[in-house]
Structure formats: structure tokens, C-alpha cells
Amino acid sequence: MERVELCTVEELMAALYACRGAWDTPDRSGDPVDLHDHALQTAALLRRSRPSDKELQVAGLVHDLGHLLSPGDDAGHADRAAEAVRGLLGERVARLVRLHVPAKRYLAAVEPGRGLSAQSSLTLGAQGGPMTAREVAAFEADPLAEDAVTLRQADDAGKVVGLDAGSMEDWRGVVELVAQGVPVR
């Protein structure tokens, strides 16, 4: 697969707008909202729970861009999205995006009864299944583990059909600040 790098805020915003009508599965059998609404809902939930952490909010906005860039690649979508935004949004945002799948595996291991959407349950296997005890310990040692779990929880909750979470344009200013490296935490 060709590597995609989003180099400007305009390119990133165009990709986010292109998520309207794009789904996490090419045949639309996955989650009940498109990638556009899912991005907005996830970012809005993070804004509510962590209002001062703009990088985390932006990570929520862009975390599933890999589904747009490489449709059907459930196992690699987080890595693809992280690679695409790293140069523009910085290392922390890229690492949080990359960690949202390991955070799902972590939560599946430490909270085995925790509900996942049908699609997330299905893709968990392709993504490695619940973490082993050794993987759990390594994940917990990561300085971004807590933030990645917060992102994952918003990701899981941001799949509500018909929920108005604002517009993509509402996020342009925040994306610009994060892209400029302005301290926003």
C-alpha cells in the first residue's frame, strides 16, 4: 500500500470531510455511523472529558482516518492513520492514534465483560485479541497508556446514530493550533 502523508491543515481537513459517507468497512456492515460522524462524536466526547487536552481531542478526530486511507485494513488502520498525521500533528497525536487499537486489546484483557460494538468485537481478533499479561504490563508502562485508554473509551462511545456533535469546521482552529505546535495542553 502506498504511504499517505497529510502535510497541511487543508489536506487533513479535506480527508476529514471525505469521511462523510465513508465507513469502517467497505460493505457498510460495520459500525452504525460513518467515519465523519464517528470522528466528530469521539472528539466531542474527549472535549467534554478532557477540555484542556487539545492534542487528545484532535487524536480522537483523526484516529480512524486509516479506514479511509486503506479500506478494509482493520489490523493496520491505526498505524496508517498515525503515519499520515505524524508530520503535521506531531508525535503525541500520532502515538495516541496508533495506541487506540492496543488500548482496545488492553481493555479487553483487563475488563473482559466490557461491551464493544459488534464490529469492534469482530475486529479484535484481527488486531491480536485481548492482551497477554506481559502485553498488559508493557502497555501500562507506556506514559501515554492512560490517555490512549481515554481515547479508546471515547472511540467506543462515539457511535450513536443521529447524534449532532457539531461540524468538522468547528475543529479547524484546534487542528491549526495543534499543527503549529502551540502548547495546548
Side-chain angles (χ1 to χ4, degrees):
M1 281 263 150
E2 179 183 328
R3 183 170 184 253
V4 174
E5 185 174 351
L6 302 168
C7 298
T8 67
V9 171
E10 285 308 314
E11 288 175 354
L12 176 59
M13 294 302 293
L16 289 167
Y17 278 107
C19 288
R20 168 72 71 203
W23 299 82
D24 59 338
T25 56
D27 66 0
R28 291 185 56 169
S29 64
D31 287 323
V33 295
D34 67 11
L35 295 172
H36 176 273
D37 289 352
H38 177 57
L40 289 172
Q41 289 180 28
T42 303
L45 288 165
L46 292 165
R47 178 183 277 165
R48 186 174 306 131
S49 68
R50 301 277 286 280
S52 64
D53 193 342
K54 305 304 184 202
E55 290 177 335
L56 179 60
Q57 295 165 25
V58 169
L61 192 67
V62 303
H63 76 282
D64 272 347
L65 275 176
H67 286 302
L68 178 75
L69 302 173
S70 185
D73 184 9
D74 293 320
H77 81 279
D79 292 340
R80 182 154 317 275
E83 290 171 11
V85 302
R86 174 175 281 108
L88 180 63
L89 299 176
E91 187 61 31
R92 181 168 180 259
V93 171
R95 286 208 56 239
L96 288 169
V97 168
R98 177 166 274 136
L99 286 171
H100 87 273
V101 169
K104 175 169 83 170
R105 296 184 59 229
Y106 169 80
L107 288 169
V110 300
E111 297 177 18
R114 182 177 181 275
L116 289 172
S117 72
Q119 183 64 19
S120 285
S121 294
L122 183 66
T123 60
L124 179 61
Q127 295 163 340
M131 286 184 169
T132 64
R134 177 176 281 149
E135 290 172 320
V136 165
F139 181 82
E140 288 174 341
D142 190 309
L144 289 180
E146 183 180 325
D147 293 339
V149 167
T150 300
L151 170 58
R152 182 71 224 181
Q153 291 166 332
D155 178 8
D156 290 338
K159 300 174 182 181
V160 179
V161 175
L163 179 68
D164 181 1
S167 74
M168 203 55 77
E169 202 56 36
D170 296 339
W171 287 94
R172 183 180 294 272
V174 178
V175 169
E176 288 171 346
L177 288 173
V178 171
Q180 292 167 10
V182 173
V184 288
R185 280 187 1 151

